[in-house]
Amino acid sequence: IINHIYLFVPKGLVTGLSVGECIVSVTSDNGLSDSCKISVESLPVVNIDELKRSEIDSKVILKLSNAVVLYAYDNTTYLREESNSIKISNIDLGLKRYDVVSGVVGGVVGRENNMIQLIGIDDVSSAGNFTVSGNQMIRPREVTLDELTEQDYADYVLVKAVQVERNNGVWAVSGDRRVRLINPFQISGINVPINLAGKYYDVEGIYGTNVLDGEVIDELYRTAKITEVEAPAGIVELRLDVHDNRMPVDNLQGQRVSPATKGLLIRGGRKLLNR
């Protein structure tokens, strides 16, 4: 695939037709003239997985085959092809959610926080060349919070059975893993409950990254919503007798707490849920 480079002059258009270099000279009606060297280069054609393993700042042509648009707004598009997802930014592709698309789009490989993405630039096929072959509603991919890795960035996921807490924002929490839910008071279909202690939720959204107080964090955003579910298997739900002090109770951080403490606790080496 040849990267076409265009040079606009007062009376003409120069189009690159093959790989190489040439000198283009122009002369105006009043006798002024100038020249410049034009390079036409061949770019590697990659799929989503190959793009994520490409060198940062390298120019590539991304080839898509029946990829589904997970979300699109302004000049940003999230797409999934089979099990791989990618964010394309700085290009208005004119696509909408659930479009099924095939074709190519050029850009430069970039990194936003920890997320690899394709960024549109002026000299590499910035408009894309797509065909839309239909519309396919796509479900989020079910995962646990501990299973999410950088390879999952830009994907639409449903994170199973997490706790939700407020602490400088609203967070999905499982053990030591924490993912922030952005726009928490605009979550579709449910308001964040006032009493979150001891409850579990399925949380869905686009998995990505952001920065909070100078630290890179993981987030679920754009389409995030939460649904209350039963406690996951392996956790005993038990209301402790506040007068039973025969066995000490710790929280998940290993701190000794009162037996009357609500939420997920550890007693005698077993996890239990005290409502």
Side-chain angles (χ1 to χ4, degrees):
I1 294 179
I2 302 302
N3 171 31
H4 294 283
I5 298 181
Y6 301 92
L7 175 66
F8 290 90
V9 295
K11 290 185 179 181
L13 176 66
V14 176
T15 303
L17 298 178
S18 62
V19 175
E21 296 182 350
C22 67
I23 302 296
V24 176
S25 300
V26 294
T27 302
S28 66
D29 291 339
N30 61 0
L32 297 176
S33 63
D34 203 352
S35 63
C36 64
K37 182 169 71 173
I38 298 294
S39 297
V40 179
E41 58 185 314
S42 178
L43 300 181
V45 181
V46 298
N47 59 29
I48 292 176
D49 183 60
E50 292 167 334
L51 186 150
K52 288 184 174 181
R53 292 185 280 110
S54 298
E55 185 178 350
I56 299 299
D57 295 330
S58 61
K59 296 177 182 179
V60 299
I61 299 292
L62 175 63
K63 184 176 182 179
L64 299 169
S65 178
N66 295 320
V68 180
V69 177
L70 301 172
Y71 203 77
Y73 67 99
D74 294 336
N75 63 351
T76 302
T77 308
Y78 295 85
L79 303 106
R80 181 197 293 168
E81 181 181 302
E82 297 181 350
S83 60
N84 289 311
S85 298
I86 193 67
K87 175 183 177 181
I88 301 176
S89 63
N90 200 40
I91 313 174
D92 184 2
L93 297 176
L95 300 173
K96 63 181 183 299
R97 193 178 187 190
Y98 301 140
D99 277 346
V100 180
V101 298
S102 298
V104 296
V105 60
V108 63
V109 180
R111 182 189 295 272
E112 179 185 28
N113 303 327
N114 288 328
M115 186 193 297
I116 302 297
Q117 61 181 306
L118 181 69
I119 303 172
I121 55 177
D122 290 339
D123 63 343
V124 182
S125 189
S126 59
N129 183 15
F130 290 118
T131 59
V132 178
S133 58
N135 189 271
Q136 176 185 330
M137 183 173 292
I138 195 166
R139 297 181 62 83
R141 184 168 54 84
E142 294 188 7
V143 295
T144 65
L145 202 59
D146 290 337
E147 291 171 337
L148 288 173
T149 70
E150 291 185 7
Q151 282 296 112
D152 300 305
Y153 286 147
D155 201 6
Y156 178 34
V157 297
L158 172 63
V159 182
K160 304 288 290 184
V162 294
Q163 293 189 294
V164 176
E165 67 178 36
R166 289 188 178 90
N167 182 10
N168 191 21
V170 177
W171 301 78
V173 181
S174 178
D176 293 333
R177 282 298 304 270
R178 294 166 55 83
V179 173
R180 188 171 68 159
L181 312 180
I182 70 167
N183 298 328
F185 302 110
Q186 300 175 24
I187 293 176
S188 174
I190 186 171
N191 293 321
V192 179
I194 295 176
N195 181 17
L196 296 168
K199 297 181 180 180
Y200 287 83
Y201 300 89
D202 288 351
V203 184
E204 70 179 64
I206 300 291
Y207 183 51
T209 67
N210 209 329
V211 175
L212 178 66
D213 297 330
E215 179 182 357
V216 175
I217 60 170
D218 291 335
E219 291 187 332
L220 286 171
Y221 53 87
R222 306 304 175 197
T223 57
K225 67 178 181 180
I226 65 175
T227 305
E228 186 174 354
V229 296
E230 295 296 323
I235 294 179
V236 178
E237 185 173 347
L238 177 67
R239 181 175 294 279
L240 294 175
D241 183 349
V242 296
H243 301 294
D244 183 0
N245 296 316
R246 290 172 297 176
M247 188 175 293
V249 178
D250 298 325
N251 61 21
L252 293 183
Q253 287 72 46
Q255 300 166 326
R256 188 61 47 83
V257 296
S258 164
T261 302
K262 306 299 182 185
L264 189 61
L265 306 172
I266 299 175
R267 187 178 193 183
R270 301 180 67 191
K271 287 184 179 179
L272 56 89
L273 180 61
N274 186 26
R275 293 185 183 276

